[in-house]
Amino acid sequence: MLGAAVSGHTKRILVATTNPGKIAELSAMLDEGIRWVGLSEFPDAGEVVEDGRTFAENAAKKALGYAEATGLWTLADDSGLTIDALGGEPGVHSSRYSGQVRAGEDRRTIDRRNIEKVLGLMRDVPAEKRTARFACRLCLARPGRVLLEAEGRLEGIIATEPAGENGFGYDPIFFVPAKGRTVAQLTPEEKNAISHRGNALRNLRPLLNQLIDTA
Ligand code: ITT
């Protein structure tokens, strides 16, 4: 359980992501005792441009940008898929790997296009060279200052075709050998227990407890 009170008030922390898949996963793993609020409560917060070269740069940029815009402590997630056979791509371009979002396009359609692009590029890559990992960088900031950072990873193999309906993004083509299934074939609980995002949150949690206890 995370610490509950700061100076007699429940701490409010903004979870700054527009990705519904991330919101679902983070909110399932975030403990009570902190009042977590979403960007939907701040329609005028604007959008932080993600032009960093690393997950770390982008997570800090998002956390600092939205903290500045709202005045709140802000938790941001920058994450993505790194594929060895593609020289580390899509990496920080994971979200829009197949090009700019078209008018009226929903997240699932974008995810499907991204998956098609990866499978096309990987068509001739043999099984032993299909290694990849998901990475997640979390950053907690207050206006003008980064407070905490943490990282998590999940190693896997790019499948030759999509399987499973759960999760989001590249989950249907990310095969986890230890589970014998793709991430999209895992239950939400099974995914959170091993995922890059789950691991990053588990790394952040003790630091956050400590920070709140001493605030
Ligand atoms: P925010 O910036 O608003 O948080 P975003 O989706 O643009 O949303 P990122 O820039 O961090 O976020 O891009 C992350 C992309 O990486 C995401 O859109 C997926 O394509 C992929 N990704 C990240 N975590 C994933 C996961 O758990 N499963 C599958 N794909 C994931």
Side-chain angles (χ1 to χ4, degrees):
M1 170 75 74
L2 297 169
V6 175
S7 311
H9 299 290
T10 301
K11 186 78 198 156
R12 266 202 326 159
I13 300 183
L14 172 69
V15 182
T17 175
T18 56
N19 183 316
K22 285 187 190 176
I23 294 171
E25 290 179 15
L26 288 168
S27 54
M29 291 186 281
L30 293 168
D31 306 69
E32 294 161 19
I34 286 180
R35 220 186 115 209
W36 299 98
V37 294
L39 272 178
S40 56
E41 294 189 31
F42 299 90
D44 300 327
E47 199 185 333
V48 175
V49 181
E50 293 179 47
D51 53 5
R53 281 166 298 124
T54 62
F55 298 125
E57 272 180 47
N58 279 333
K61 203 158 186 257
K62 283 191 264 189
L64 286 166
Y66 287 113
E68 201 60 54
T70 62
L72 290 180
W73 281 23
T74 300
L75 179 68
D77 162 317
D78 200 63
S79 46
L81 177 63
T82 298
I83 302 176
D84 294 322
L86 301 182
E89 287 286 301
V92 290
H93 307 116
S94 293
S95 182
R96 293 174 189 178
Y97 196 42
S98 56
Q100 284 308 310
V101 176
R102 297 165 195 165
E105 212 171 28
D106 65 10
R107 192 67 242 178
R108 282 197 94 78
T109 310
I110 300 164
D111 289 345
R112 214 172 304 126
R113 272 206 288 132
N114 287 341
I115 284 177
E116 273 166 25
K117 176 164 178 183
V118 167
L119 290 181
L121 291 171
M122 303 272 295
R123 196 170 299 125
D124 299 325
V125 178
E128 70 278 10
K129 295 211 168 117
R130 300 180 76 92
T131 48
R133 64 211 52 80
F134 277 129
C136 171
R137 176 84 171 198
L138 293 176
C139 179
L140 179 74
R142 70 179 195 202
R145 190 169 142 217
V146 168
L147 297 170
L148 297 175
E149 293 176 297
E151 252 177 45
R153 283 174 167 228
L154 174 64
E155 297 285 335
I157 303 286
I158 302 301
T160 50
E161 57 183 49
E165 299 293 327
N166 296 335
F168 68 97
Y170 299 91
D171 284 345
I173 56 167
F174 194 91
F175 182 82
V176 183
K179 295 282 178 191
R181 283 170 286 166
T182 68
V183 176
Q185 292 173 311
L186 302 179
T187 64
E189 293 75 22
E190 285 175 316
K191 177 177 177 183
N192 290 342
I194 60 164
S195 77
H196 48 311
R197 190 161 296 103
N199 291 334
L201 265 184
R202 280 181 284 276
N203 290 335
L204 188 83
R205 187 164 299 171
L207 306 174
L208 182 55
N209 282 340
Q210 213 177 13
L211 182 68
I212 286 184
D213 283 347
T214 55

